[in-house]
Amino acid sequence: MIKVLYNELDGPEGVTLRLEAAGHAGYAPAGQDIVCAGASTLMQALVSLLAGEESTRSDAWDGPDGPRLAVVADAPQKPWVEGAFELAKTGFALLAERYPDNLRFADVSRRGERGMMDLQLFAEGGEGAAPALSAAQTQQAIASGTMKPGSAKADEAAPPAPEETVEETGGEGGESESQPQPEPPRPPLPERFPGREVVDGLHSRWAAEEALMRRVVPEFSLKEELRNPEMRRLMQLPGMRMADAYRLAHYNDALRQAAHEVEQGVVERIRQRAARPAENGTRPGSAAVTGADVSRMSRAQREALERKALHGERIVF
């Protein structure tokens, strides 16, 4: 079972936040444990989000019950750091309600004790009664199937029925209308979230590399290329440049194009060689005959040579 504990420690400069998770979920074999995957994702996301913040630190070690991971934020903290811890706490509370046999979460801070956020961590052993659930937690437990609607705990935590407000109108009998409750104000969001500078820098680098790629490949589009799973996987590798990822993703296409160009070149050379006139030594056989061939002469040509010989002329072939 994974046990998650959140605490706030008073110090000279303020409150220090600490979230610690330890143990194994035991929901399924390794590689198939969705409870372990959910808890690991929450803790690793918190560590990654707070990376580089001077007031935070993370520690990991092996304990007797399994791995332990603790994230600490020293006082004073920025508002978004507190928000990151609140998000992780909410995620663990939901996991504990959905999978009570595999994960337990407890908020032992003063705010958690007032909000009754202790979820079964200290109920084991019978040292005390389990804390009552709030109305929102009861509805969440009923919706997830961990609590039946007709149970005693559900009845105890059920919110009282709102009283109807009766408004007298100018009509004969009057009408009863329920007054809508105003929505509580939400905390303002920070202007720039942590890590936004890194994302903006990455997008700027990709835009510059895309412009360079279009000089070589005019039809190149990063949006279209990212639809290719191989291109998307290569672009996620640290330090990978767009041009290198494009060449690797289209390596087979480049080989086919090169083979086609070589084949076309060979065909063109053969065609040109066939159109060129034959020369001595380019094909087997004797050299071209340049002298007169008696066997190819006509009868008139032979009689003319005979008359020349009778008159004493020397005939040379």
Side-chain angles (χ1 to χ4, degrees):
M1 175 178 291
I2 298 177
K3 294 184 178 181
V4 185
L5 180 66
Y6 174 78
N7 195 7
E8 296 179 354
L9 306 176
D10 293 328
E13 298 184 0
V15 178
T16 297
L17 312 181
R18 178 183 174 85
L19 182 65
E20 179 179 333
H24 294 286
Y27 179 81
Q32 305 175 8
D33 197 325
I34 58 175
V35 180
C36 176
S40 302
T41 300
L42 288 172
M43 290 300 291
Q44 294 181 36
L46 182 62
V47 171
S48 177
L49 187 61
L50 300 180
E53 189 68 20
E54 296 180 356
S55 63
T56 63
R57 63 182 184 276
S58 304
D59 299 311
W61 63 94
D62 290 328
D65 298 331
R68 301 172 69 90
L69 178 61
V71 182
V72 180
D74 297 326
Q77 304 94 10
K78 298 178 182 178
W80 70 265
V81 174
E82 297 181 5
F85 274 87
E86 290 297 326
L87 179 61
K89 288 166 51 182
T90 303
F92 281 119
L94 293 175
L95 280 175
E97 290 179 357
R98 184 63 181 86
Y99 304 98
D101 296 333
N102 308 102
L103 188 144
R104 293 181 179 178
F105 171 70
D107 183 352
V108 297
S109 64
R110 289 192 298 270
R111 290 185 298 174
E113 292 174 356
R114 288 195 300 267
M116 298 180 184
M117 289 294 294
D118 190 353
L119 297 177
Q120 306 175 3
L121 182 63
F122 302 111
E124 187 177 10
E127 296 180 0
L133 297 178
S134 64
Q137 293 172 346
T138 303
Q139 293 176 2
Q140 178 69 26
I142 293 174
S144 61
T146 57
M147 180 181 293
K148 297 181 179 180
S151 62
K153 292 183 178 180
D155 295 337
E156 292 175 3
E163 298 181 358
E164 295 184 354
T165 309
V166 179
E167 254 186 39
E168 296 294 337
T169 61
E172 295 180 357
E175 297 180 357
S176 62
E177 296 182 357
S178 59
Q179 296 293 334
Q181 297 295 329
E183 183 180 356
R186 299 181 180 180
L189 295 175
E191 295 182 358
R192 292 185 66 83
F193 292 94
R196 182 65 179 271
E197 293 80 3
V198 178
V199 175
D200 291 344
L202 179 62
H203 288 175
S204 300
R205 179 168 65 84
W206 281 3
E209 291 183 359
E210 184 177 9
L212 293 176
M213 282 293 301
R214 286 180 177 174
R215 295 182 182 179
V216 182
V217 186
E219 67 275 8
F220 178 82
S221 172
L222 179 60
K223 183 178 180 180
E224 295 296 328
E225 289 295 331
L226 289 179
R227 295 180 180 178
N228 183 359
E230 182 64 16
M231 182 70 175
R232 188 164 57 249
R233 183 187 69 82
L234 291 170
M235 289 296 293
Q236 292 175 353
L237 297 178
M240 177 62 69
R241 296 294 180 181
M242 191 178 299
D244 298 335
Y246 180 80
R247 283 193 292 267
L248 291 174
H250 295 272
Y251 180 74
N252 293 332
D253 297 337
L255 287 180
R256 285 192 293 267
Q257 180 66 22
H260 179 71
E261 292 177 357
V262 171
E263 181 181 358
Q264 291 297 322
V266 172
V267 171
E268 182 65 20
R269 285 194 295 271
I270 294 175
R271 187 186 64 79
Q272 293 176 357
R273 185 176 299 174
R276 187 173 59 187
E279 299 176 358
N280 291 339
T282 58
R283 55 185 179 182
S286 60
V289 178
T290 58
D293 188 359
V294 179
S295 62
R296 294 177 179 273
M297 291 182 179
S298 63
R299 181 175 180 180
Q301 291 175 337
R302 291 196 299 271
E303 291 177 351
L305 292 176
E306 183 179 355
R307 286 193 296 270
K308 289 180 180 181
L310 291 174
H311 287 85
E313 187 177 349
R314 187 179 177 183
I315 308 299
V316 179
F317 296 101

